[in-house]
């Protein structure tokens, strides 16, 4: 007889019943605003498509709606920097932490080239291909790792290496950076790969030995066309008449842009070092608990930035646990908190996590589903357990660094495994309450046709929620 699991989602239902009055369908926050989509046509933000990002519109909406005047803003999962740059445009002093060198490179480049000599850039762009063509001796600047080998057509790979050799010869560092950045942003378009969440998908034309259904990614752009187009876009956006930031400064001559501060590293390490009661606002979106692997998705970009196999593997482990490969970090965290003399805080976080009955139920249920081989990967239970534990640390730190009456806005999706819904929004908000935040609202994104707030009436029956949480420090 096949053993089945009878699950009564009692604790999750109780948590749902307790927080139900905080859930509100937000018709003004559609999928486009909460995802990167709304940035696609936005000058400056459109330079690099960071699919996992949210839009500048979302950031500006929350800052203008909930903060009377600009202050200090933080994003501990800064990605490509939407929070930081949108905040900067509104006069905020913004700080961000990002682990992946991909996001840090985008932010640092954007920050550095804001006041570039545009006429000089136009001149270099005009003669670019003539100069690259003159390069006869070049080094293999791109050193592939196993998961990126043969990602580019041979002629593209040669051109890419020549291009990078030419970049190194340019004396003006800002111009050099823009050129390096322009090629960085189009790597997917000139490759045989397509970003696909857990892995890169490979086009049938690549040299790889591919099994399974053939995949045709469509047109693969030529390196010259793709870089030329990107440079033109950057030049257009930086030219004064196109530049929204300059325009805004012109309208508000007294408002000087405050420089953004970018910290490269893990927020699990960096947040504990930050001052208490310092930030007025946090707007952030952590990785979701959905097995999405940033280090594989951005493997081409990581290799382009000079990361080798070990470095990529190390990044994968250091990230917030959101893939089945992530190992537990609890000993590491205990060590970190001990070293900085904050073991009490470590213990408090562990208590909050262990006292969460909904969390205990989720962990128990996943272990049972695992035992019955109902999960399609045996490490899902470990990933979920560690995802929430690490987020519990992040939330405790976010509460500590936020000033009294300051806000935290978090974008995240719920998930479902083995048919069981995991209410990420409710569990994380419950943690937040334990660390001194008040849950103001959990804005639920409108779904397809027929969705209404009445449908939220009972736990686990509907499509998983995609939410924006609004917490205020007491
Ligand atoms: C959903 S994305 C944020 C995107 C961002 N809101 C934007 O608009 O560009 C989550 C980010 O968290 C980063 N991340 C994952 N683990 C991290 C950690 N431990 N510390 C800091 N950043 C981390 C990922 O690299 C990713 O860029």
């Amino acid at each position: 007889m096949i053993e089945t699991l009878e699950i009564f989602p009692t604790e999750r239902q109780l948590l749902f019943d307790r927080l139900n009055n905080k859930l509100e369908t937000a018709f003004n926050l559609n999928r486009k605003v909460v995802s990167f989509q709304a940035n696609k046509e936005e000058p400056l933000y459109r330079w690099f498509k960071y699919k996992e990002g949210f839009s500048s519109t979302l950031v500006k909406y929350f800052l203008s709606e909930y903060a009377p005047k600009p202050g200090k803003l933080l994003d501990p999962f800064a990605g490509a920097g939407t929070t930081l740059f949108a905040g900067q445009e509104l006069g905020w002093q913004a700080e961000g932490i990002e682990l992946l060198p991909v996001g840090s490179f985008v932010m640092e480049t954007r920050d550095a080239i804001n006041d570039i000599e545009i006429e000089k850039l136009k001149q270099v762009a005009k003669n670019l291909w003539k100069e690259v063509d003159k390069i006869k001796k070049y080094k293999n600047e791109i050193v592939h790792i196993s998961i990126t080998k043969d990602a580019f057509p041979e002629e593209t790979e040669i051109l890419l290496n020549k291009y990078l050799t030419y970049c190194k010869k340019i004396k003006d560092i800002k111009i050099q950076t823009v050129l390096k950045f322009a090629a960085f942003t189009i790597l997917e378009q000139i490759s045989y790969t397509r970003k696909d969440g857990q892995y890169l998908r490979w086009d049938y034309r690549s040299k790889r030995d591919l099994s399974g259904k053939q995949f045709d990614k469509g047109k693969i752009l030529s390196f010259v066309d793709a870089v030329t187009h990107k440079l033109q876009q950057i030049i257009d956006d930086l030219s004064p008449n196109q530049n929204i930031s300059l325009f805004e400064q012109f309208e508000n001559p007294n408002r000087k842009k405050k420089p953004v501060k970018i910290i490269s590293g893990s927020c699990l390490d960096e947040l504990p070092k930050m001052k208490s009661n310092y930030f007025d606002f946090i707007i952030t979106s952590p990785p979701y608990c959905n097995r999405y692997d940033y280090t594989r998705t951005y493997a081409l970009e990581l290799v382009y930035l000079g990361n080798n196999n070990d470095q990529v593997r190390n990044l994968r482990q250091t990230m917030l646990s959101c893939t089945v490969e992530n190992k537990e970090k609890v000993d590491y965290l205990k060590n970190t908190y001990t070293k900085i003399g904050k073991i009490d805080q470590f213990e408090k976080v562990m208590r909050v996590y262990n006292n969460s009955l909904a969390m205990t139920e989720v962990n128990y249920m996943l272990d049972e589903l695992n035992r019955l081989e109902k999960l399609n990967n045996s490490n899902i239970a470990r990933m979920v357990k560690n995802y929430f534990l690490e987020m519990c640390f992040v939330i405790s730190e976010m509460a500590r660094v936020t000033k009294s009456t300051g806000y935290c806005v978090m974008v995240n999706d719920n998930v479902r495994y083995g048919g069981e819904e995991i209410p990420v929004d409710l569990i994380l908000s419950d943690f937040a309450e334990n660390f001194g935040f008040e849950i103001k609202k959990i804005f639920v994104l409108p779904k397809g046709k027929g969705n209404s707030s009445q449908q939220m009436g009972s736990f686990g029956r509907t499509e998983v929620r995609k939410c924006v949480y609004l917490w205020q420090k007491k």
Side-chain angles (χ1 to χ4, degrees), residues 230-322:
K230 182 57 62 179
L231 278 175
Q232 193 53 52
Q233 193 181 59
I234 294 175
I235 289 168
D236 287 348
D237 288 356
L238 288 174
S239 300
N241 57 340
Q242 303 278 336
N243 189 333
I244 285 176
S245 311
L246 289 178
F247 176 66
E248 285 196 349
Q249 277 180 43
F250 176 71
E251 281 208 316
N252 303 286
N254 296 330
R255 185 195 287 164
K256 233 181 148 268
K257 260 204 214 164
K258 309 215 169 44
V260 299
K261 181 171 170 191
I262 301 151
I263 303 171
S264 298
S266 167
C267 61
L268 291 167
D269 293 322
E270 299 301 326
L271 282 169
K273 297 180 200 160
M274 290 179 160
K275 274 196 227 152
S276 300
N277 308 314
Y278 184 74
F279 291 99
D280 301 276
F281 227 108
I282 297 179
I283 303 184
T284 196
S285 172
Y288 299 169
C289 187
N290 62 1
R291 302 184 59 182
Y292 189 95
D293 188 341
Y294 285 83
T295 56
R296 285 199 168 79
T297 305
Y298 288 97
L300 287 184
E301 290 76 9
L302 287 170
V303 160
Y304 181 86
L305 294 175
N307 292 274
N308 62 29
N309 254 320
D310 287 348
Q311 286 166 315
V312 173
R313 231 177 280 138
N314 191 31
L315 282 167
R316 193 172 300 140
Q317 281 306 328
T318 313
M319 289 212 121
L320 191 89
S321 289
C322 60

Side-chain angles (χ1 to χ4, degrees), residues 36 39 50 52-55 75-83 97-100 103 265-268 283-288 294 318-322 329 390 411:
F36 183 82
N39 281 344
Y50 201 49
E52 304 69 28
F54 43 49
S55 72
D75 185 350
F77 298 99
T82 317
T83 296
I97 308 170
E98 172 57 44
L99 178 69
L100 214 59
S266 167
C267 61
L268 291 167
I283 303 184
T284 196
S285 172
Y288 299 169
Y294 285 83
T318 313
M319 289 212 121
L320 191 89
S321 289
C322 60
K329 297 186 185 60
E390 291 161 31
V411 178

Side-chain angles (χ1 to χ4, degrees), residues 73 79 97 137 187 198 280 303 318 327 331 379 434 457 467:
L73 174 66
I97 308 170
K137 264 203 191 147
L187 294 174
Q198 285 174 33
D280 301 276
V303 160
T318 313
K327 311 246 165 60
D331 289 340
N379 289 328
N434 276 283
C467 301

Side-chain angles (χ1 to χ4, degrees), residues 21 41 73 129 193 216 290 310 361 436 444:
N21 64 339
E41 301 304 322
L73 174 66
W129 302 115
T193 69
D216 179 353
N290 62 1
D310 287 348
E361 179 178 276
V444 183

Side-chain angles (χ1 to χ4, degrees), residues 20-162:
N20 191 11
N21 64 339
K22 308 285 181 188
L23 294 169
E24 180 178 304
T25 305
F27 292 101
N28 56 338
L29 297 178
N30 56 32
R31 203 66 200 133
K32 193 172 164 196
V33 171
V34 175
S35 72
F36 183 82
Q37 255 182 309
N39 281 344
K40 268 190 180 160
E41 301 304 322
E42 182 112 344
L44 307 172
Y45 296 91
R46 61 182 181 166
W47 294 350
F48 181 63
K49 182 178 162 200
Y50 201 49
K51 274 195 302 169
E52 304 69 28
F54 43 49
S55 72
S56 61
T57 316
L58 179 92
V59 176
K60 290 178 186 170
Y61 167 76
F62 276 102
L63 291 179
S64 349
E65 194 75 14
Y66 293 95
K69 59 177 182 21
K72 297 192 179 78
L73 174 66
L74 172 70
D75 185 350
F77 298 99
T82 317
T83 296
L84 312 198
F85 293 102
Q88 186 190 47
E89 279 187 64
L90 299 186
W92 286 72
Q93 191 180 318
E95 213 167 298
I97 308 170
E98 172 57 44
L99 178 69
L100 214 59
V102 172
S104 307
F105 180 62
V106 176
M107 291 189 279
E108 279 157 11
T109 303
R110 243 189 76 166
D111 199 35
I113 64 180
N114 240 333
D115 55 351
I116 198 168
E117 281 181 61
I118 195 77
E119 288 310 316
K120 208 167 170 186
L121 178 61
K122 282 184 187 166
Q123 199 54 35
V124 171
K126 200 169 142 208
N127 299 321
L128 179 62
W129 302 115
K130 241 189 334 199
E131 294 299 323
V132 172
D133 204 38
K134 283 187 199 158
I135 304 280
K136 300 296 171 211
K137 264 203 191 147
Y138 61 91
K139 233 182 87 190
N140 279 345
E141 298 285 342
I142 308 259
V143 182
H144 281 285
I145 60 176
S146 49
I147 55 172
T148 65
K149 198 168 166 294
D150 297 325
F152 303 113
E154 263 165 52
E155 63 280 16
T156 301
E157 181 99 17
I158 294 171
L159 205 47
L160 198 46
N161 281 314
K162 278 188 177 182

Side-chain angles (χ1 to χ4, degrees), residues 197-227:
Q198 285 174 33
Y199 296 98
L200 286 177
R201 287 186 84 187
W202 287 76
D203 186 274
Y204 73 97
R205 286 162 286 185
S206 79
K207 276 203 291 192
R208 288 219 158 186
D209 196 6
L210 301 165
S211 56
K213 206 165 159 246
Q214 256 198 8
F215 166 60
D216 179 353
K217 78 171 268 194
K219 190 169 171 142
I220 296 172
L221 295 188
S222 87
F223 181 66
V224 173
D225 288 352
V227 172

